[in-house]
Amino acid sequence: MDATIRPMTRAEFPLLSGFLYEAIFIPEGAAPPPRTVLLSPPLRDYVAGFGSRRDDRALVAEAAGRVVGAVWVRCGAGFGRVAEGVPELAVALDPACRGRGVGTRLLRAMLRLLADEGYPAVSLSVQKANPAVRLYRRLGFRVVREHPEEYVMVCVPA
């Protein structure tokens, strides 16, 4: 898929809540949660006031004049938090754009950005059943903590 990866503009920050919803892993056959799940404190912290924290960074994938994917990081108290000063990553794509290399390109671009800015690591949380686990491993993420249904993974940006 032909998509341009670029920094997210401040005017686009409101798109993050929709992408956060798309980032929620829904197992085959399960019903998607109501959008109100985004109001829960653990999820709200991924996007509330985005751009106001020193470590907030976001990139988008744009195709045909439309934002079709986003990757963003911020330091906070998310599900994948590992240490002070280590941002946690979230990534999501429009469902029609999945499996076409756009997510890989977004992730690689964010890892380069974080390396260029001197971040020692980046973390994420992912459901064990999520096929994205294989992608994260290919990009250098390693499991540092395991819970019954999820992994917390860390990558040293390079």
Side-chain angles (χ1 to χ4, degrees):
M1 168 176 239
D2 188 29
T4 301
I5 308 299
R6 62 168 176 78
M8 179 177 257
T9 66
R10 185 168 288 283
E12 293 168 327
F13 289 168
L15 296 174
L16 288 177
S17 62
F19 281 112
L20 180 60
Y21 186 79
E22 291 300 331
I24 297 170
F25 176 67
I26 302 165
E28 182 95 19
R35 285 195 171 269
T36 54
V37 72
L38 299 176
L39 301 175
S40 68
L43 288 178
R44 190 175 55 229
D45 190 54
Y46 284 89
V47 296
F50 194 85
S52 63
R53 297 183 191 171
R54 182 177 56 103
D55 299 299
D56 288 353
R57 304 284 184 279
L59 301 172
V60 297
E62 183 178 341
R66 179 171 90 77
V67 174
V68 297
V71 60
W72 67 102
V73 298
R74 82 181 328 187
C75 291
F79 296 106
R81 184 180 192 282
V82 295
E84 189 70 32
V86 174
E88 184 178 355
L89 180 143
V91 62
L93 297 171
D94 180 302
C97 299
R98 294 178 185 161
R100 300 167 117 190
V102 178
T104 300
R105 291 180 51 218
L106 274 169
L107 287 163
R108 284 187 174 139
M110 180 58 78
L111 291 172
R112 277 192 306 274
L113 173 71
L114 295 173
D116 290 347
E117 292 190 8
Y119 284 91
V122 62
S123 67
L124 59 79
S125 173
V126 61
Q127 296 292 309
K128 290 178 178 179
N130 189 330
V133 170
R134 290 188 307 277
L135 169 62
Y136 299 142
R137 287 188 177 178
R138 272 197 330 267
L139 292 175
F141 283 85
R142 299 290 172 249
V143 174
V144 293
R145 202 165 49 237
E146 189 171 337
H147 301 288
E149 295 183 16
E150 71 180 4
Y151 296 124
V152 174
M153 302 179 85
V154 169
C155 181
V156 175

